[in-house]
Amino acid sequence: MTDHARRRHLRNAAALAATGPLNSPWARAGWLSGGPKPIELKPQRAVVWKDWLGVNAQFQWFPIEMARKQAERLKALDLNWVRLGLHWMLLEPEEGKYELKAIDQTMEMTRQMGLRNITYVVGTPKFATSVAPNDKYAQYFDKFPPRDPKTYALRMVQLAKRYPQVDVWQVWNEPNILGFWAPKADPEGYGRLLLPAVQALRATVPDKPIAMAGMAYFSEMPTGGLMIQKMGELGAFNLNLIIAYHPYTARPEGSDDDARDFVGKVQPAHQWLRAAGVKQIWATEWGWSSYDGPKEEQPIVGEQGQADYTLRRLALMAALDYDRVFLFTLSDLDKRASVRDQSYGLLRENGEPKPVYHALQRFLKISGPRLDPDAPPKVEGGVPKGLVSIAWKRPDGRQVWMCWADKPVSVTLPQWRKEAVLHHPLKGTQTTLKPGAKGLVVPVDTALQILVV
């Protein structure tokens, strides 16, 4: 079974496990339950896009000139954060023999471009892996944790010294799935890797924040339960770490089982995390591929679907209790990645923008660099089923209403009795609306619209 096939199998198993009863605070909090319909959100806090929204980047996959072009495209969005991945088995294929040229170039370019970054280290080299040479899965040695966690901690220290431009270090990636942690999800095993790495980094770069591994999905494990909750029970929350996960779902508002469960999962679960003492909650991956098949787990949505889904999810996440989020990913990849994974980019392989890039650029321009929370407007006759309503204020005093619905619907907003502009960032068009006798009448579409009053 290929790595991608094994990873897909485990994710399917995780989804099945998530449907069973779980006697855990997170399950009771709602990560595995349905969400509210319709959705009305008053944002949790102000959002400054440059500091809040980041993008995953695989700069080292490309010639440095192309990597620089990608970084310039990111800077043109006025965004400032990237998430980088270092694969230990590629950096040190043999013990003590390092291949760092591509990473050195990437890190130097990142520094020159003024990009802030979180960098994770994953993948065990053959000399350090815990899988036995005669094991039937020995060929997947990089998916198994190292025999000695202190070896990994030492490499983290060496990298931290070599790359002072890293702002945040992240310990491993998605250890709750087989694609990155074999032979099974093991919270105690990950804890044995995490603690010495944290201790070593704190002794070496005490001013640098540290993130726990970004957990796949909502941290479901195929054996049942949620890995972030298990890590909390093991004491990981006492280490003052950034807690991260990767909320991939079938649609912007929810999962295959419940098309509107995203907000219903995130809100109570984040409340539980805050009550448990977690100070920083990040989504270090999320997004949709624009691939055209054959189908590989994610529904096929195409380039326009990718743009549509990305804007809707971004609007939701900005209003929820996330301290920072990282879209996956900056550029499409070559055939070293699976068919699906080749097409998550904002950019094509040649560095040219895809529809999702242009839609995001329009979204950010309409929003302005900062948004402050506001209460959703009242709707004449009540909020119709299927409507999503999120309200903000811009520093210039203009009110901003982000909205969409399951089906096209017309709503009347009685509190607004002046001319307004309804923006369609997916299409790149706008409509001027004039108030009627009962207020402002807004035709709401299925794609994200932004009303500026």
Side-chain angles (χ1 to χ4, degrees), residues 26 45 210 212 228-229 231-232 235-245 269-282 321 323:
W26 282 27
R45 60 171 68 83
I210 302 171
M212 198 161 71
I228 292 178
Q229 183 219 347
M231 297 309 301
F237 296 171
N238 297 326
L239 298 175
N240 190 26
L241 304 175
I242 296 164
I243 302 304
Y245 65 98
H270 284 204
Q271 291 171 3
W272 184 85
L273 284 169
R274 299 300 188 188
V278 173
K279 297 177 182 178
Q280 288 280 313
I281 304 172
W282 294 14
D321 188 19
D323 294 286

Side-chain angles (χ1 to χ4, degrees), residues 38-40 376-390 401-418 420 422 433-447 449-451 453:
I39 299 171
E40 286 190 286
K378 293 183 179 179
V379 177
E380 181 76 19
V383 180
K385 184 178 180 180
L387 182 72
V388 179
S389 172
I390 306 168
W401 186 46
M402 298 183 182
C403 61
W404 66 93
D406 286 350
K407 299 177 181 179
V409 62
S410 182
V411 300
T412 300
L413 309 178
Q415 72 190 66
W416 288 333
R417 296 179 177 272
K418 57 183 177 180
L422 185 64
L433 302 180
K434 297 182 182 297
K438 293 185 177 182
L440 203 61
V441 179
V442 181
V444 180
D445 200 355
T446 57
Q449 295 161 287
I450 305 177
L451 183 71
V453 183

Side-chain angles (χ1 to χ4, degrees), residues 55-60 62-82 84 105-116 330-331 346-348 350-352 357:
V55 180
N56 284 262
Q58 291 77 30
F59 291 135
Q60 67 269 29
F62 300 87
I64 193 63
E65 297 80 9
M66 179 57 67
R68 188 176 297 276
K69 182 177 181 179
Q70 294 172 5
E72 288 170 350
R73 295 287 193 192
L74 182 65
K75 297 289 282 188
L77 296 174
D78 198 26
L79 298 179
N80 205 41
W81 275 87
V82 292
L84 306 175
Q105 288 182 330
T106 289
M107 289 296 184
E108 177 59 18
M109 185 272 292
T110 302
R111 184 195 65 79
Q112 291 175 359
M113 296 293 294
L115 294 173
R116 304 195 67 188
L330 182 55
S331 175
L346 298 176
L347 308 172
R348 305 189 193 283
N350 63 3
E352 294 305 306
Y357 179 94

Side-chain angles (χ1 to χ4, degrees), residues 149 181 186-196 227 231 234 236 239:
W181 193 281
D186 181 4
E188 291 84 1
Y190 175 66
R192 288 192 291 272
L193 183 78
L194 177 66
L195 182 58
M227 188 152 173
M231 297 309 301
L234 292 171
L239 298 175

Side-chain angles (χ1 to χ4, degrees), residues 348-370:
R348 305 189 193 283
E349 280 188 71
N350 63 3
E352 294 305 306
K354 293 166 63 178
V356 64
Y357 179 94
H358 292 301
L360 178 59
Q361 189 172 46
R362 291 190 286 263
F363 174 98
L364 295 172
K365 183 177 180 180
I366 297 163
S367 300
R370 175 190 173 98

